Each structure stands twice: as C-alpha cells, then as structure tokens.
Amino acid sequence: MPETKHVVLTSHPPKSGVKPPSISWGAADAHERGPVIGSLQNPEQRNVIGVHSGAYGVYRALAIASGKLDPVHKPDLTNTAPAVRIGPFPQWSDPDKIVSMDPWGHLVAEAFQDELEDGYDVRPTIAVTKARISFPEVRESIAAERLTPDGEILHENGDVTVTKAAIEPVWYLPGMAERLGVSEADLRRTLFTYTGNMFPELVTRGDLKVFLPPIGGITIYIMGDESALWDGSDREIACRVHDECNGSDVFGSDICTCRPYLVHGIEECVASSQRGGAGLIVYNRKEGRALGEVVKFLVYNARKRNPEGDSAASYFERTECIAGVEDMRFQDLMPDVFHWLGITRIHRWVSMSNMKFDAMASQGIEILERVPIPDHLIPADAQVEMDAKKAAGYFVNDGVSTPNNLKLPKGRGLGNF
C-alpha cells in the first residue's frame, strides 16, 4: 500500500497562508475565470469541493489503495488537445447560462499553461476527439433506402463519422441553486446531509463555490460540420437528448423505446448533416430517470406482477411507490451543454418530452420542430410505456413534426420520449 503523503481536514481553510487560485465563474476569459483544481496532490492548491473524474474518482482511490496508482501521479497532457476547436462563445461568460460543467474544461493545457508551468495540478474535465459509430439499425436504414451513404458522414458499411466529447460534471453552486429555485445554503446542506455527510466542505467552506460531484457525466456525438452548431448560419441542426438506458441502449431490451428512439435520433442527425447542417446526440448518464437500475428493475417486477396486468394507468404509480418520486433527472440543467456549444436554435428536436422542451425554452434556445418516434419503431412490449406517456400529457401527432408556436399540454415528461 502506498505511503500516505498528506492528511488534510478539508472542512477548514488551509492555514499555511498559501491561497489557491480564485475562481470567478462567468468571467470574460479563462485567465480571469481561473482554473478548476480538484487535485489532492497539493492540498493548498485546491479551490473546489470534491475531486476530479466524477463517478470514477472512487475507482482512483481504490487504485491507490491497492498500490496500482501512484497518488502523486500528474497527467502528461502532450497531444491531448481537442480534435476540434470549440469556443469560446458569449454564453461562457454568462454565469447564468452554464452552471453544471466547466466551459473551459477542454482547453486546460492551452488556457492555463502558465498555471501548469507553475506546478498547479490543473486537469481537463472535457475531452474532444474523432471516431466512428456503428449501429446495425443504420445499416438496415441504408438497405431500406431511408439513408444513403455519402462516404464522408455515412459510409457504405453503415459507420457514421462523429466528433465526440466526454464531459465531467462541474457544479457552480450559486448558479445551480438559482437554476433550481432554492437557496445556496439549503442546496449545500441538503447535498451534505443526503450524501451521508460525504463532503463537509459543502457546509463549512462557503468560500468554495465549485463542487465536483461523484456522478456520471455527458457524452456528445456531433455529425457533419461542427461549425453549423455555432456559426449563426441557420443551417439545419437535428438533435436528440437521450438519458442513459443500459438495458435498451446496449442490450436491446424491448420493454421501453429507448434504443429505438436513440437510433431514430441518429438517423435524423445523419440526414440533417447530409443536408449541409449538423446532427447532435447528447447522452446523459442518468440511468432509470436518474433513479438507477436497481429501482428500475424493481419497478419492472412490480408492474409485471400486478394482478390487473401491466397498464398505462399504473405505469408511473409503481415508480413513485418504490422510489418516492417519478423522475430525478432535473432537465433544468440539460441546456448547459448547448450553451457550451454556442447553440441558439435547434431545427429538428427528436423528442416529445415536455420537460426537455420546457428546459430549453427557459434558457432561450429555440426549437422549431419536435419530431416523435415513428410507430413502426416501437417494440410491442413498450406500447404500455407509450400509452402511459400519452395519458400523462405528451403531444402525439402520428409522426408529423410539431411547430414551435403550437401550445403543447403540460405533462410529467418521463422516460426517454
């Protein structure tokens, strides 16, 4: 087991007189904003609550405990620069626009070069690279002539060229509180209490305004010309915001419409990018409406064992009986990634969730059309889900896109609709 080099009581400010770099959230440039430093290597440098890597921070601790990782290892960022230049955009300097991620997180090696040379352990919270994705359903779409390969975006074998970015959560607590309509003090104390008092700094260090929560992040996939997202040219942009569903997305479970809706979103994104625009998939790690897979599977059992049968009427009731709430995804925070990308308008929004739509509208991002999932993509066992969502207030119009100025009924907005 490696030798412990620092033991720090994080509930009190450092007494050495060494002050970490300050963070001025929403400042006009990176230097004025300051770096986000969650490293434990030099505790006097830390200017945030929590540690880097989100949910994977615990695995890093296990690697150190088992002797697999040197606790003072510092990443070599050579050749790790983003494969595509993103930003800065005006939204980055508005503290109300981005509160749940660090807009400078992918530009650490460039924006904070001086701090890195001075020995500060500044680490990226975003990485941007290039890749291809492959779905058998896309190959089926090519065979059915719904999509046509072009050799650049969509290839003959069904592969799709993408720019993708991985984003770790970085929460600016005052902005988070304002977005959620609570006081910062209540937010801090509740986070402290209901994570088992895991982060005492939340209630003892009011001077630290940034929190790196131990949760999953976001992955985005961009198809076509990335600049169409932010250059103001009004080229067509299609988008699917998708919340993780491992059972359906990865293993093809037919009890919900998640993978079919994801694939439908990819097809729409490919089509828009082939028309000279861009497509965007935003994939959030919020399994089971952020209730988790254990709760999700318990709900499945309760629904299937209902003496009256699995019905639309009891669909959401079973979830609330077990979890105490129907949904914990907080779509209020979802628009942040769009502000990071400089997006102000979406032409084809592949979703019928009122929660997602309302969150975008509240942040001033215009949606011109709402695109529902075609009936032929809905698995037979998932029809109960669809019926329940219709009953909850979703607008369904038999596949016809919905104009932005049409008033839609308020619904509970559950599931990957």
Side-chain angles (χ1 to χ4, degrees):
M1 184 172 178
E3 178 186 356
T4 301
K5 299 195 175 184
H6 297 287
V7 177
V8 183
L9 293 176
T10 58
S11 60
H12 301 284
K15 299 179 180 179
S16 62
V18 179
K19 290 187 177 181
S22 61
I23 296 177
S24 178
W25 200 265
D29 58 59
H31 180 73
E32 183 182 353
R33 204 293 301 273
V36 170
I37 305 175
S39 169
L40 294 172
Q41 181 172 329
N42 294 305
E44 67 276 4
Q45 295 180 0
R46 284 170 51 79
N47 58 8
V48 301
I49 303 165
V51 296
H52 287 299
S53 301
Y56 296 99
V58 173
Y59 286 101
R60 184 177 186 277
L62 286 179
I64 294 171
S66 64
K68 303 291 185 182
L69 175 63
D70 185 342
V72 298
H73 171 76
K74 187 181 294 186
D76 180 353
L77 300 179
T78 303
N79 292 329
T80 62
V84 171
R85 179 79 185 192
I86 297 177
F89 301 113
Q91 292 95 321
W92 294 17
S93 57
D94 184 339
D96 296 327
K97 294 294 187 185
I98 300 177
V99 300
S100 62
M101 58 181 287
D102 177 8
W104 297 97
H106 59 309
L107 299 175
V108 162
E110 170 191 327
F112 301 112
Q113 182 178 358
D114 292 344
E115 286 84 353
L116 287 166
E117 290 177 353
D118 288 340
Y120 288 96
D121 190 6
V122 190
R123 304 193 179 195
T125 57
I126 302 174
V128 184
T129 190
K130 291 272 192 178
R132 288 188 182 186
I133 59 174
S134 179
F135 280 75
E137 294 93 335
V138 172
R139 293 192 288 274
E140 293 169 5
S141 295
I142 294 174
E145 299 184 343
R146 292 194 300 270
L147 292 175
T148 303
D150 57 81
E152 293 185 8
I153 298 166
L154 179 61
H155 301 270
E156 292 287 345
N157 64 355
D159 287 359
V160 181
T161 298
V162 298
T163 296
K164 62 180 183 178
I167 303 168
E168 292 177 2
V170 179
W171 289 1
Y172 176 57
L173 293 172
M176 291 277 293
E178 184 174 353
R179 185 79 64 86
L180 298 176
V182 300
S183 72
E184 182 184 345
D186 285 346
L187 176 63
R188 284 173 172 267
R189 181 160 294 281
T190 304
L191 287 172
F192 169 68
T193 301
Y194 291 97
T195 55
N197 303 348
M198 187 183 298
F199 300 99
E201 292 164 304
L202 285 166
V203 292
T204 63
R205 294 292 304 275
D207 58 312
L208 298 180
K209 299 294 185 181
V210 175
F211 177 38
L212 306 181
I215 61 172
I218 304 169
T219 309
I220 67 169
Y221 298 83
I222 306 171
M223 298 154 219
D225 183 357
E226 303 90 352
S227 67
L229 299 176
W230 57 71
D231 66 5
S233 62
D234 204 32
R235 286 180 284 170
E236 182 177 306
I237 299 172
C239 178
R240 167 69 183 163
V241 172
H242 193 88
D243 297 317
E244 180 180 32
C245 178
N246 183 63
S248 179
D249 296 343
V250 179
F251 294 100
S253 171
D254 65 353
I255 198 170
C256 62
T257 59
C258 295
R259 182 180 173 99
Y261 224 145
L262 176 61
V263 172
H264 179 51
I266 291 172
E267 290 190 8
E268 289 287 339
C269 287
V270 168
S272 288
S273 61
Q274 288 181 323
R275 289 191 285 266
L280 173 65
I281 301 292
V282 178
Y283 195 90
N284 298 291
R285 295 305 191 284
K286 297 178 180 177
E287 179 66 59
R289 306 182 210 131
L291 302 172
E293 269 196 319
V294 170
V295 168
K296 177 193 282 190
F297 290 5
L298 293 174
V299 172
Y300 286 166
N301 286 344
R303 285 171 48 197
K304 295 296 184 180
R305 291 168 178 162
N306 186 347
E308 299 178 1
D310 189 12
S311 67
S314 63
Y315 183 84
F316 295 132
E317 179 187 356
R318 288 291 83 206
T319 302
E320 191 164 0
C321 286
I322 293 170
V325 64
E326 294 174 349
D327 195 315
M328 294 197 302
R329 286 175 294 176
F330 291 99
Q331 302 293 2
D332 314 69
L333 305 174
M334 178 264 295
D336 286 21
V337 70
F338 293 88
H339 292 315
W340 176 63
L341 291 168
I343 294 172
T344 58
R345 173 179 293 176
I346 301 291
H347 300 78
R348 295 182 62 75
W349 179 251
V350 190
S351 171
M352 292 305 291
S353 165
N354 291 327
M355 289 178 67
K356 294 176 182 177
F357 179 86
D358 292 345
M360 295 288 279
S362 70
Q363 284 292 305
I365 301 172
E366 186 179 14
I367 292 174
L368 298 184
E369 293 180 317
R370 300 173 70 177
V371 183
I373 186 172
D375 288 342
H376 72 272
L377 292 180
I378 301 172
D381 204 29
Q383 191 59 53
V384 171
E385 173 198 15
M386 301 301 292
D387 293 342
K389 288 171 178 177
K390 293 175 187 178
Y394 279 95
F395 183 88
V396 178
N397 55 2
D398 298 326
V400 179
S401 298
T402 306
N404 190 43
N405 60 2
L406 181 61
K407 183 65 175 178
L408 300 179
K410 288 283 185 179
R412 287 176 284 184
L414 301 176
N416 259 322
F417 214 47

